[in-house]
Amino acid sequence: MVYKEAKKWHSDVCVLFYKPSQENKIAVVASKKVGKAVVRNKSKRLLKSAFVSIARDGLVSQGTYVMIAKGGLDNFSFVNILKSLKWSMKKLGCLR
């Protein structure tokens, strides 16, 4: 349901889906195209950590967020992941 009704934005590190709602929900997905299990889990941890650091500042609007990791995400530095995720959120209008 989120994939059909949500707004989406493609970035270098992930595809971000955002749908406004009354509560915050977050999901991070990494397919086998991203890599083996260790790489997929690292990619998901990096995306979750970047999202939490943005949300900690109170910048995130309430809604449902789905992030689909792209291949090669583990090669980016955390600062670049954070910058790319902020840019995606800004483009979708979910930053305050």
Side-chain angles (χ1 to χ4, degrees):
M1 196 71 157
V2 174
Y3 293 116
K4 290 182 181 179
E5 297 175 1
K7 295 188 272 183
K8 73 177 178 178
W9 183 262
H10 294 266
S11 70
D12 296 337
V13 296
C14 71
V15 179
L16 178 66
F17 290 86
Y18 169 67
K19 179 181 173 189
S21 66
Q22 296 298 322
E23 57 188 354
N24 272 343
K25 292 182 182 179
I26 179 174
V28 181
V29 181
S31 70
K32 287 190 176 183
K33 291 180 184 178
V34 174
K36 302 261 183 194
V38 174
V39 176
R40 290 194 308 265
N41 290 333
K42 181 180 179 184
S43 300
K44 290 193 287 187
R45 281 195 313 268
L46 285 169
L47 282 175
K48 284 179 199 173
S49 179
F51 182 84
V52 167
S53 66
I54 294 169
R56 188 179 319 135
D57 296 335
L59 299 175
V60 179
S61 299
Q62 288 194 344
T64 303
Y65 296 88
V66 178
M67 292 179 278
I68 302 174
K70 288 189 174 180
L73 173 68
D74 58 327
N75 296 330
F76 285 94
S77 68
F78 184 73
V79 174
N80 289 341
I81 293 171
L82 192 64
K83 198 186 269 188
S84 180
L85 192 59
K86 274 187 182 179
W87 178 255
S88 299
M89 294 173 115
K90 187 175 182 182
K91 284 297 192 178
L92 288 176
C94 52
L95 283 180
R96 292 184 188 166

